Amino acid sequence: MELQRVAQLLEASLDPRQNKQAELALRHEEQKPGYSVCLLQIVAAGTFSNTVRLASALCFKNFLKRNWTDEDGNHKLPQNEVVTIKQELVGLMILVPPNIQSQLGDAVGIIADSDFWERWDTLVDDLVSRLTADNPTVNVGVLQVAHSIFKRWRPLYRSDELFTEINHVLQKFGTPFLSLLESTDKSIDQNKTNKPLLRQLISSLNLMMKLFYDLSCQDLPPAFEDNLPAITSLLQKYLIFDDPSFHSDSDDESGPLEYLKSAILEVLTLYVQKYEDAFGTHVEVFVASSWNLLTTTGQETKYDILVSKALQFLTSVTRIKQYAQAFNDEANMGQVIERVILPNLALRDSDMELFEDEPIEFIRRDLEGSDNDTRRRAATDFLRGLMSQFEKLVTEVVYKYINHYLSEYSVDTANKWRSKDTAVYLFSSIAATGSITASQGVKSTNPLVNVIEFFQNNIASDLVSDNSVEPILQVDSIKYLYTFRTQMSRDQWRDAFPLLVRHLASSNYVVYTYAAIAVERVLALVDDSRKPMVEKDSVAPLAKDLLEHLFKLIEQDNIADKNQAASKLQENEFLMRCVMRVLIVIKEGVIPLTNNVLKHFVGITEVICANPSNPRFCYYHFEAIGALIRFAAPAQPHAVENALYPPFATILRDDIQDFMPYVIQLFAALLEANPSGPLPDYYKSLIPPILTRELWLSKGNVPALIRLLSSIIARGTTDIVANNQVVPVLGIFQQLVLLKSTDMYAFELLECVLTYFSPSVLETYYVPIMQALLTRLEKNKTEAFSARFVRLYHFVSAKGDQGLGTDFFIKIIDQVQTGIFVPLYLNIILPGTRKLARPLDRKTAVISLTKTLTDSFAFAETYKKGWAFTCNALLELLLNPPVPSTTDDLIADHDVDDMSFGVGFTQLTTIKRPAQDPWPNITNIKTWVSECLNSANARGNGKIVNYAKERLSPEERGSLAMYMRI
């Protein structure tokens, strides 16, 4: 493979003007043998620019993500490529610059996920063999590889397989690692005047601290426990280590010592939380060191990570009663508040610079929980840790400071606004107890304080005042309502909600964004009976102006450059989330506003297509469009379709991967919103591209494509048959049924096909369909596949009046293999029926089993024992009859922080399709079974009663008598 050509394509992929064509060309190149090795060769070649080498490393990582193994764990690449990659990757990673090293480290992690350790059992030996006593550059590369692999253990649950892997590593790596730790310590002592080498050694030691955490995260390694005194001595040495050569003039950039000490504090926190019995005797010295660090470290931003880690360590210590007792008197607690909490809780000049210069970053740090390494968050957690031990003492001591700062502010409101900010933050810190959830904020509060009274006396005035109030205090007032929103009554929200809405008109970016955040969360708030705290009737009169203003805020920057315009427009996802929530709340109230809202959505879609840069904004944007379709399209289907089709078609045509799953879902929702009439021409033109195999290769597209194709089939069977597209549809089924990751969608498509295509159209395809299903059952059966096959059987069996039914199923399966039905029924279908859990599945099974008893000739004459087994299965289901689930019209709330955008499929909840009941007219299933049995018995001159007498035991007949006269 020609390196120069691939390198040119990689360089072109970085140019916005030609990146699409370059990426397509690279996708073509990756089909050729040796592509992965070619990428590694480009990374290794010093003749290419660092930019191209980095692009190659990134491309290599992403290529491995898609192509290293299949869903069964088998290598997809040729074995010679697999071997070459494993042989070359570690050595290459040692030699490349840090930014490239990071990408290759991720690639190592991808390989390790499937291959380590059993299919890569030489790796640890290879790493150990490369460690040196005198070359920190090489050691850093080796340790980086090790960390890329071992850090995978941190979030995992304990298992035998995991501990086998860890033990394999410790047996080979543990002792050399401790030796390296010791030799690095000696080298640091010996080279304090060699500043370049000292810097490398400190970087190496930092990585060793990360590895120390990795190796200890699941259990305390015996080698570490045996050497704990020496290890803790070394940790203490470097926690207090200082060297003026590492000091920088920058106030913002953390240096090597800050990162090293932060890594040590993370290790100490882990050991206090998990291994206090072994580590307990060493805790006090680290508490003293951390306290000294906190009281002597400056306020500069570069120390934030260090201070926050020290606070997190002290927080973990306070949760252990014997250590917390040191703080259990008023004088000591006052020292803690004054010397540690207040300096790290108060607003700094750097915080205000962020507020003014990078407001969206200020908001994200302060609000979203992404602020785990900020001083304020860490100080708050420390204070709450103390509260959990000494609630009364902490409350009393902190309240003195709260009153002091409020008094300072009251004397000089123009200049002492920071004092009030500190007071409000202090109160919020001690008022909230337990966890703070994204959906409801603070659920439980400190019984020694009154949240509502504090708001009325100290905060409400900032919420109702005009622009004369300092913006940060307006933010504090809005955030207070946001945080304690569940503590307020419906009547209190009736008064407060319009004030929040009013702050959307603020000229200050942070104020209006916080207002949007609070409005959105309050509109999503429900009481214990799931009734909204702010009713639709309170929002509907404001909706037109509210939506128009939110769109104005989103669209306010007019930038000529398309990429810059797209990035800027997407910057503030909180505004779009508020748009989405307003549409969800007003429901059909959006109908009079539809044209105007559509105009904004179309314009925003066209802009962000140029450069999808903020996945959260894009997600909320398409959720908001989904809400509009859900509530406006049934009343104005043509207006909504005509407006949205052009931008959606452009997304499909231009293959904008980030948006494809969203747009396909929205196309389906548009079609479902207008279920009557023939298939529109828009959708007829979509059928050929939908049926192309390539579109289905992206697993993130599959759920959306299944929904769209099913919606099209429901309306367009005539067109599909006329255009000879039945075979391609079934080809999609065969493609999906082969893979574990998509087989559930194959069943969904098959049920749709069986429902809407006439038996005469499908007659020649039934046997191949059944062959595909039975092959999967025989060769690659999973529990999920078996369960879904059982559901399909009952779906077919229950539809005897539509040309299907039990005897139809038996006839088809006999054409595949004579005699296979009996073992299939006894070993898979009946046992699987007893495991059905979803009410609709159980209902379908009841109908299926009942119709088998009443209508099946095969069970009446051939499978007489099977008739009895079927009757018993039916009676078992009826002991706990399926009850239709009661649903409300509330739309589920996704926590986007738990979602992996760009990885797989992201469901749009505003248009999530509810489970469809194929038998909505059957409401009381027991009554229906009774009527069905008695009717069949009457039609057959008592045949059901005769079967029961011949084939059932007296006890079984007694159970059946509850449903018919025997």
Side-chain angles (χ1 to χ4, degrees):
M1 182 172 285
E2 189 184 343
L3 261 63
Q4 194 63 42
R5 169 170 165 72
V6 175
Q8 286 171 351
L9 291 173
L10 289 166
E11 190 165 25
S13 72
L14 304 174
D15 183 349
R17 294 166 299 179
Q18 48 184 331
N19 65 333
K20 280 286 179 191
Q21 298 92 321
E23 286 170 7
L24 286 172
L26 285 169
R27 282 298 183 99
H28 178 72
E29 290 293 321
E30 75 177 38
Q31 306 303 318
K32 300 176 182 178
Y35 176 72
S36 59
V37 177
C38 171
L39 292 174
L40 282 183
Q41 289 170 338
I42 293 171
V43 173
T47 53
F48 296 111
S49 69
N50 276 347
T51 306
V52 170
R53 294 171 70 196
L54 177 60
S56 189
L58 181 61
C59 192
F60 175 75
K61 177 187 76 173
N62 291 331
F63 174 78
L64 289 195
K65 245 184 221 176
R66 299 190 303 272
N67 296 291
W68 186 251
T69 58
D70 61 22
E71 60 181 11
D72 293 319
N74 302 312
H75 290 134
K76 293 169 71 173
L77 298 179
Q79 194 58 31
N80 63 321
E81 277 190 55
V82 170
V83 171
T84 302
I85 288 169
K86 288 181 179 179
Q87 286 175 342
E88 301 297 327
L89 192 52
V90 174
L92 178 58
M93 194 168 165
I94 291 168
L95 301 174
V96 296
N99 59 342
I100 298 176
Q101 210 173 62
S102 173
Q103 298 301 328
L104 294 183
D106 290 343
V108 169
I110 292 166
I111 297 172
D113 279 338
S114 67
D115 286 27
F116 189 75
W117 62 282
E118 290 173 319
R119 292 197 295 189
W120 204 2
D121 57 357
T122 60
L123 175 61
V124 181
D125 292 324
D126 186 14
L127 293 175
V128 170
S129 71
R130 294 173 187 270
L131 291 173
T132 71
D134 56 1
N135 191 335
T137 303
V138 171
N139 289 342
V140 164
V142 174
L143 295 171
Q144 190 71 56
V145 175
H147 179 52
S148 298
I149 298 166
F150 305 157
K151 70 181 179 182
R152 298 158 40 252
W153 301 334
R154 295 190 182 196
L156 300 180
Y157 291 108
R158 298 168 71 96
S159 68
D160 291 343
E161 293 80 8
L162 175 61
F163 275 76
T164 300
E165 180 179 321
I166 293 173
N167 287 333
H168 165 81
V169 170
L170 289 172
Q171 286 166 11
K172 295 172 178 285
F173 192 78
T175 301
F177 173 75
L178 290 176
S179 299
L180 181 65
L181 198 59
E182 184 180 358
S183 65
T184 302
D185 175 40
K186 289 178 181 176
S187 295
I188 290 172
D189 288 339
Q190 294 165 2
N191 292 279
K192 288 187 176 177
T193 57
N194 185 344
K195 299 309 178 184
L197 179 58
L198 184 61
R199 187 167 287 267
Q200 288 183 317
L201 289 166
I202 291 294
S203 295
S204 180
L205 190 60
N206 179 31
L207 264 174
M208 280 185 256
M209 290 302 102
K210 292 179 180 179
L211 274 163
F212 194 91
Y213 190 111
D214 297 338
L215 295 167
S216 306
C217 66
Q218 290 290 337
D219 204 357
L220 180 57
F224 291 6
E225 188 171 9
D226 294 342
N227 292 278
L228 208 50
I231 291 170
T232 53
S233 175
L234 185 143
L235 295 178
Q236 169 66 5
K237 174 181 177 178
Y238 288 101
L239 188 59
I240 62 174
F241 178 85
D242 194 22
D243 187 310
S245 68
F246 287 98
H247 298 175
S248 72
D249 295 332
S250 169
D251 288 343
D252 302 322
E253 294 294 326
S254 300
L257 283 186
E258 284 78 59
Y259 286 120
L260 171 60
K261 293 180 182 184
S262 298
I264 291 171
L265 286 161
E266 282 196 65
V267 169
L268 297 177
T269 302
L270 173 72
Y271 270 62
V272 166
Q273 291 172 340
K274 294 197 71 168
Y275 313 122
E276 190 263 330
D277 53 340
F279 186 64
T281 56
H282 307 282
V283 168
E284 287 187 14
V285 67
F286 290 114
V287 169
S289 300
S290 300
W291 178 267
N292 185 60
L293 188 152
L294 286 167
T295 54
T296 58
T297 300
Q299 289 286 305
E300 292 87 354
T301 306
K302 64 183 175 183
Y303 299 124
D304 284 3
I305 184 171
L306 175 57
V307 169
S308 66
K309 294 300 180 187
L311 286 166
Q312 287 168 25
F313 168 65
L314 288 182
T315 302
S316 67
V317 170
T318 60
R319 300 195 189 281
I320 302 171
K321 208 165 190 68
Q322 69 186 81
Y323 304 122
Q325 288 303 318
F327 305 107
N328 190 17
D329 68 64
E330 188 170 342
N332 285 346
M333 189 63 71
Q335 285 284 301
V336 172
I337 304 302
E338 195 143 325
R339 299 187 64 189
V340 174
I341 300 295
L342 290 175
N344 293 301
L345 222 151
L347 276 174
R348 300 168 297 173
D349 289 343
S350 59
D351 297 321
M352 291 311 301
E353 286 172 11
L354 196 67
F355 183 96
E356 292 163 3
D357 300 337
E358 297 184 65
I360 195 67
E361 183 61 24
F362 177 92
I363 293 162
R364 288 182 181 138
R365 286 189 189 184
D366 190 51
L367 187 75
E368 286 189 82
S370 62
D371 54 351
N372 289 332
D373 287 335
T374 65
R375 294 181 185 234
R376 274 197 150 186
R377 170 59 54 221
T380 300
D381 289 343
F382 181 36
L383 189 56
R384 286 178 180 158
L386 292 167
M387 279 269 299
S388 68
Q389 298 286 2
F390 317 112
E391 186 173 66
K392 187 172 185 294
L393 174 62
V394 172
T395 303
E396 289 173 353
V397 172
V398 169
Y399 233 108
K400 291 178 183 177
Y401 289 96
I402 292 171
N403 289 331
H404 165 75
Y405 284 116
L406 288 174
S407 176
E408 268 193 357
Y409 173 72
S410 66
V411 172
D412 185 1
T413 57
N415 298 306
K416 292 291 185 179
W417 51 268
R418 289 197 192 194
S419 295
K420 183 170 185 181
D421 171 79
T422 302
V424 172
Y425 212 99
L426 269 175
F427 181 85
S428 297
S429 297
I430 63 166
T433 60
S435 59
I436 301 175
T437 68
S439 59
Q440 296 182 305
V442 172
K443 285 286 287 178
S444 58
T445 58
N446 180 348
L448 302 177
V449 302
N450 188 318
V451 170
I452 302 301
E453 184 180 87
F454 187 85
F455 173 75
Q456 292 169 338
N457 293 341
N458 301 293
I459 297 177
S461 58
D462 296 331
L463 193 68
V464 300
S465 295
D466 57 20
N467 291 332
S468 61
V469 175
E470 187 68 27
I472 198 75
L473 296 184
Q474 291 181 320
V475 169
D476 286 343
S477 67
I478 296 167
K479 187 181 176 186
Y480 190 93
L481 288 181
Y482 164 85
T483 302
F484 296 104
R485 57 190 179 275
T486 57
Q487 308 304 313
M488 295 177 60
S489 68
R490 184 172 274 100
D491 288 341
Q492 288 166 334
W493 270 122
R494 195 171 289 119
D495 295 333
F497 183 73
L499 297 175
L500 285 180
V501 173
R502 195 184 75 179
H503 280 285
L504 287 169
S506 170
S507 59
N508 184 281
Y509 188 106
V510 180
V511 173
Y512 71 64
T513 301
Y514 263 90
I517 291 164
V519 165
E520 189 278 327
R521 286 291 79 198
V522 173
L523 290 179
L525 192 63
V526 296
D527 60 19
D528 292 337
S529 62
R530 293 182 61 77
K531 184 179 179 183
M533 292 295 284
V534 177
E535 300 282 0
K536 172 185 173 182
D537 292 345
S538 302
V539 183
L542 310 172
K544 181 180 178 181
D545 293 338
L546 182 54
L547 288 169
E548 192 60 36
H549 186 67
L550 287 167
F551 282 125
K552 180 182 175 184
L553 292 174
I554 292 169
E555 300 166 340
Q556 61 186 328
D557 293 293
N558 188 14
I559 301 172
D561 182 272
K562 284 187 176 181
N563 287 307
Q564 290 181 11
S567 296
K568 186 63 180 174
L569 183 140
Q570 296 168 72
E571 176 184 79
N572 196 329
E573 68 265 20
F574 305 107
L575 297 174
M576 185 53 78
R577 187 177 190 180
C578 193
V579 169
M580 174 199 77
R581 186 64 57 191
V582 171
L583 293 173
I584 289 172
V585 169
I586 65 173
K587 296 184 173 66
E588 288 79 7
V590 75
I591 292 174
L593 316 175
T594 299
N595 289 337
N596 198 41
V597 172
L598 276 171
K599 181 183 72 174
H600 289 292
F601 280 148
V602 169
I604 291 169
T605 303
E606 289 171 348
V607 172
I608 63 177
C609 280
N611 181 21
S613 58
N614 184 347
R616 286 177 171 81
F617 180 95
C618 298
Y619 166 72
Y620 290 127
H621 172 64
F622 288 111
E623 281 281 23
I625 294 176
L628 179 68
I629 290 171
R630 175 170 176 166
F631 298 117
Q636 304 180 48
H638 300 301
V640 178
E641 279 183 8
N642 291 339
L644 293 177
Y645 187 84
F648 286 1
T650 300
I651 288 168
L652 295 183
R653 185 196 66 212
D654 294 348
D655 192 27
I656 302 175
Q657 289 291 326
D658 301 65
F659 296 167
M660 293 271 279
Y662 294 139
V663 165
I664 296 167
Q665 289 178 77
L666 293 168
F667 264 134
L670 278 169
L671 190 56
E672 293 158 4
N674 181 26
S676 60
L679 188 68
D681 290 339
Y682 289 148
Y683 293 92
K684 290 179 185 177
S685 67
L686 284 177
I687 296 175
I690 286 174
L691 295 180
T692 56
R693 182 176 180 273
E694 289 70 27
L695 198 58
W696 296 79
L697 293 177
S698 171
K699 291 174 185 173
N701 288 342
V702 170
L705 284 169
I706 282 292
R707 179 174 178 181
L708 178 56
L709 184 53
S710 299
S711 301
I712 289 173
I713 289 172
R715 294 267 296 277
T717 51
T718 304
D719 297 289
I720 292 171
V721 172
N723 293 315
N724 298 315
Q725 292 167 326
V726 175
V727 171
V729 169
L730 295 176
I732 298 298
F733 159 77
Q734 285 200 304
Q735 179 181 334
L736 299 178
V737 83
L738 293 173
L739 300 175
K740 294 175 187 175
S741 57
T742 56
D743 53 18
M744 297 299 103
Y745 301 108
F747 281 106
E748 193 174 329
L749 176 59
L750 181 56
E751 287 183 357
C752 176
V753 166
L754 293 173
T755 299
Y756 292 105
F757 286 106
S758 69
S760 61
V761 170
L762 298 175
E763 189 172 1
T764 58
Y765 307 115
Y766 286 132
V767 171
I769 289 170
M770 189 60 69
Q771 281 176 323
L773 294 171
L774 293 179
T775 300
R776 262 300 307 271
L777 273 176
E778 180 186 358
K779 295 184 177 178
N780 199 8
K781 181 176 72 172
T782 64
E783 190 171 339
F785 188 89
S786 297
R788 197 61 182 82
F789 181 84
V790 171
R791 287 170 54 190
L792 175 71
Y793 167 79
H794 288 303
F795 178 84
V796 173
S797 175
K799 288 184 171 286
D801 55 343
Q802 297 177 35
L804 304 176
T806 307
D807 290 346
F808 165 83
F809 191 94
I810 295 170
K811 173 188 167 188
I812 299 302
I813 212 165
D814 276 346
Q815 291 180 52
V816 177
Q817 184 178 339
T818 305
I820 193 70
F821 177 73
V822 171
L824 192 68
Y825 193 71
L826 295 178
N827 298 323
I828 292 180
I829 293 172
L830 283 180
T833 300
R834 295 184 176 92
K835 296 177 185 176
L836 293 174
R838 296 196 321 168
L840 278 177
D841 296 339
R842 291 168 59 82
K843 179 179 180 179
T844 301
V846 167
I847 295 169
S848 158
L849 296 174
T850 304
K851 290 190 174 183
T852 298
L853 296 178
T854 59
D855 299 342
S856 171
F857 178 82
F859 274 81
E861 300 299 331
T862 307
Y863 307 124
K864 295 181 180 180
K865 287 184 179 179
W867 194 95
F869 295 147
T870 302
C871 187
N872 284 324
L874 173 64
L875 294 171
E876 281 183 41
L877 284 176
L878 291 173
L879 288 174
N880 182 22
V883 177
S885 56
T886 56
T887 59
D888 51 40
D889 60 356
L890 291 177
I891 293 173
D893 210 18
H894 267 171
D895 182 357
V896 296
D897 291 326
D898 294 336
M899 296 165 68
S900 300
F901 296 107
V903 181
F905 170 70
T906 303
Q907 169 75 57
L908 294 176
T909 58
T910 51
I911 52 168
K912 186 176 181 181
R913 188 165 52 174
Q916 302 295 310
D917 184 354
W919 295 273
N921 296 329
I922 301 176
T923 53
N924 187 316
I925 196 70
K926 282 191 171 185
T927 300
W928 179 86
V929 169
S930 178
E931 290 172 351
C932 191
L933 289 172
N934 284 300
S935 174
N937 190 58
R939 288 196 313 272
N941 298 318
K943 69 173 183 178
I944 305 298
V945 170
N946 291 335
Y947 294 158
K949 288 177 178 177
E950 294 169 5
R951 303 171 186 181
L952 301 180
S953 68
E955 184 181 344
E956 291 164 346
R957 289 199 296 273
S959 298
L960 185 61
M962 295 174 61
Y963 303 98
M964 66 179 301
R965 296 176 296 279
I966 298 180

